[in-house]
Structures are given as structure tokens and as C-alpha cells.
Amino acid sequence: MDVLMTTSWTTDQVLALAPDASSAKSGRDLSNKAKWVTLGQRETAIWGECQGSGSKPYRTQVDLSEPAFRCSCPSRKFPCKHGLGLMLILAADPGALPDAAPPDWVAEWLASRTERAEKKEKKAAEPEKPVDTAAQAKRAAQRDAKVAGGVQELDRWLRDLVRGGLAEIASRPYSYWDTPAKRMVDAQAPGLARMVRDMAGVPATGAGWRERLLERLGRLHLLLQGYGRLESLPAETQADIKAAMGFTVAQEQVLAETGVTDRWFVAAQRVEEEDTLRVQRTWLWGSQSGALALILNFAHASQPLDVSLVSGSVLDADLVFFPGAVPLRALVKTRRDAVPSLSDIPEHGHRTIHAATAAYAAALARSPWLDRYPFALREVCLSPGDERWEVQDAAGQALPIAAAFTQGWRLLGVTGGRPVTVWGEWNGLAFLPLSVWAEGHFYALSGAEK
């Protein structure tokens, strides 16, 4: 494995930070040292001045400890092409950035970051303001009443749909699904709204769509029935049902729990678009605990996403998990400075597809509303397949690769047709590769498709 310390980066890791494909391309164009007037580094900070079309060069600086970016260019993308270009130079040739004392514009930025961090720690240590429990209980009761009404209404709609059969569903307009989904938004059950809207496109997925739609209808029915007798169920099942419905757990409440201490390998990352919201999904694996963890981050429109978790890096930290029968979603509670290398991470993952799908089945039995599950498949090969790409293990078993995946030929080029370890997401129907380990090297596969 490559040794990846805080200041050691690969090209793939840098490109995984790109907000979109055009930024990745522009960043590559700016990885030419000749386009930079000055370059420098000191400890975890790097900086440079890049000559643009104006009279003054753009001042670009990166704090690699998170990483965090700042640039004087007018771009609203984060990181901008100059930040990517500067980091690509570092990845290709660390010696190209000479060790030097930070200029004033870099030193001031670093000092301001330190000051903000100290204020944040001080504020976190302050006693919490008393909570108006009466008002809180009143709001909770009002929402529960709205959700209960929405559940009854959706249950009637679902029964009418099943009673009428699936034969005519394919000819239904989008409004057939959108109307009850909007009603669930009004009932403050956004999770139900998402499940209904997701079903609208199933009839257009080709052969077998009826079985796939029926499976989703069954999960929705199970969720409605579970909510109807919520108090009689185990605490972890209650947590899963409420999460699927769209209830949230305050991060402060989760952070108050005891964390799991480990060296967490940042195995894969993906960014999805949901209306005006961008959702960043980062999968971690604990080298000692063997625990799987999902870190979610959200950003509206052009707001920046968190870039502190870099695919292929290692995080020495305490993670706390949201409640559930299969706890996956987590928060970083405490992060330490010492970051081990990838050589400290043992080989992990399933050697056979049968073992991977069995683990998924076991998780699904405990939490039927899992919409995706992390797979680390060892010693698998990539194949174009008859109709779509697939991954195949030594026993000849294969998983279809999601049609949305467009880097099949790149993955084949990386692997050279040899068995490798691939990390990705399985949704019960298709596997989406997100990263690969080939001959001791790590490659992120999703960055350019954000």
C-alpha cells in the first residue's frame, strides 16, 4: 500500500476533491509549475501565486490538515481550480514546493483559522442554555399528529394501489406519485415522500419492474405498519423506523455518546444531487474494530461540502454512531493529529460475492429499510458482461455494475484484468464501484463524476 501521511497525496486523492469534472480538468491544466509565479510549503500549509488574465496573480493557499482552501480568484467552486492545481503539483512532485516561511497573506490566514478553532472549542465548553422542555414537547406532539394523519392517508392510497393491481401502473402520469409525496411533505414525513417518489421511475426500468415495484411497496407497507405500533418494538427498530420516516436525531445527542476509537480508513466517497441539495456519502472502515461507518454531509446549491475526509487516507479518531439495528451513519467526535499510513491497514473485505451478499442479507433482515450497503470485494475481476459491466469473483459468481457507473474502461485499465479489491455500494440490484486497490495503489473512481 502507498504511504499516505497528512502531507502525502496522490493525484487520484486530489481529483476526488474536485466539485465537478470541469474543475478537475482545469486543475490538471494548472498543475504545470510554469504557470505559478511563486510556490512554497511549511509543515501542513502550501501556497502559491498563479498568473491569470489579470495584472495580479491569484493567491492560493491550502491547509492540508483538513484540508481547507482559500484563493483570491472569483470562482464560487470549492475547491477552485487553483487549489486543485496547487495540490496536484504537490502530489506529483513535493519538492517543487520549497520549504519557506509563509508570506504575510498565508500567515494571517493560518492565524485566523487557529483563532476560529480556539473560539469554537471555548464555545463548546460553555454550559448549555436551558431547554424549554414544555415548548419542545408541544412541537413534538404537533408533528406526531401530522405524521399520524399522513400515515393513515398513505396507507389508504397504498391499499387502493394494490387492490387495483400493477397492470396499469406503467401508464400512470407522474402526478399519480407526486401528489401523495407532496402530501407526505406537508405531513412532515419527508422519508415517506422520498420513498413514494423513488417508485415513480421503477416501471421504466425494463423487464422485472413489477417485482421490483412490489418489493418497494412491501417495504413501504412494512414501514407504515411498524410506525403504527412503534412503542411495542425494540429501541433500535424504533430508531430505524423514525429515521426512514424522516425524523432526525440531534447531532448534540449523538455526540454525547461514547465514541469508537480506531484508525479509520476512508475507503470511498460519493456525491449525489437531490433537487437543490448535494449529499456527500463517505464510507469508513475501522482497522481494529472492523466497524463500517457512513459520514453524511449536505450542501445547498454552490455551498462547499466537507473536504476533510479524503478517499484513501487514514483518520485516527473517535466516531459516534446514530442509533439503529444496523448502525452505519456516524459522526466524527474527536480527531487526533497522529495519522498512520495505509501500511497499518490490514487487508479487509469479502473474498467471495456469496459472503458479501450474505452479510447484506443479514443486515437487511435486521433493518429492512437499508437503501444501500457497503461492499469491499477482494480478488474480483472486472468484465464488460453481456449487457452491462460486472465484477466476478474466483468462484465465478458475478454482480452487475450499476448502469450509472461510467468509468468501466478506466477501472479495467487500472486493474489490467487482474484480481483487485473494489469498494462500493450495493443496493440489492446493482453494485456501484467507488474505489479500487490495484497492486498496492489506491484509486478513487467517483471524484470526476460529482
Side-chain angles (χ1 to χ4, degrees), residues 120-238:
K120 186 177 180 180
E121 290 180 1
K122 183 178 179 181
K123 185 176 181 180
E126 294 177 354
E128 296 184 3
K129 295 181 180 179
V131 177
D132 188 341
T133 55
Q136 191 179 62
K138 183 179 179 180
R139 289 193 299 270
Q142 289 174 340
R143 181 179 183 182
D144 287 341
K146 285 186 176 182
V147 173
V151 166
Q152 291 181 359
E153 186 175 337
L154 186 61
D155 184 64
R156 288 193 297 270
W157 175 86
L158 183 60
R159 291 176 185 276
D160 289 341
L161 185 157
V162 174
R163 190 177 299 113
L166 302 183
E168 303 298 324
I169 290 295
S171 62
R172 298 279 189 177
Y174 180 71
S175 59
Y176 177 77
W177 307 92
D178 193 45
T179 299
K182 287 180 177 179
R183 176 67 188 95
M184 292 307 102
V185 173
D186 294 338
Q188 294 185 284
L192 294 179
R194 185 180 64 253
M195 292 179 72
V196 173
R197 285 199 175 104
D198 287 347
M199 286 190 275
V202 175
T205 57
W209 70 265
R210 290 175 180 83
E211 291 81 1
R212 291 191 288 274
L213 179 59
L214 189 60
E215 184 268 338
R216 294 195 182 205
L217 292 170
R219 289 207 301 170
L220 177 58
H221 175 70
L222 182 64
L223 181 60
L224 298 179
Q225 294 301 305
Y227 186 76
R229 57 187 189 94
L230 191 66
E231 299 302 324
S232 66
L233 299 173
E236 62 269 17
T237 305
Q238 291 186 35

Side-chain angles (χ1 to χ4, degrees), residues 278-294:
R278 288 185 298 150
V279 183
Q280 182 188 68
R281 306 171 61 86
T282 305
W283 290 103
L284 283 70
W285 176 80
S287 63
Q288 297 173 340
S289 64
L292 300 167
L294 171 64

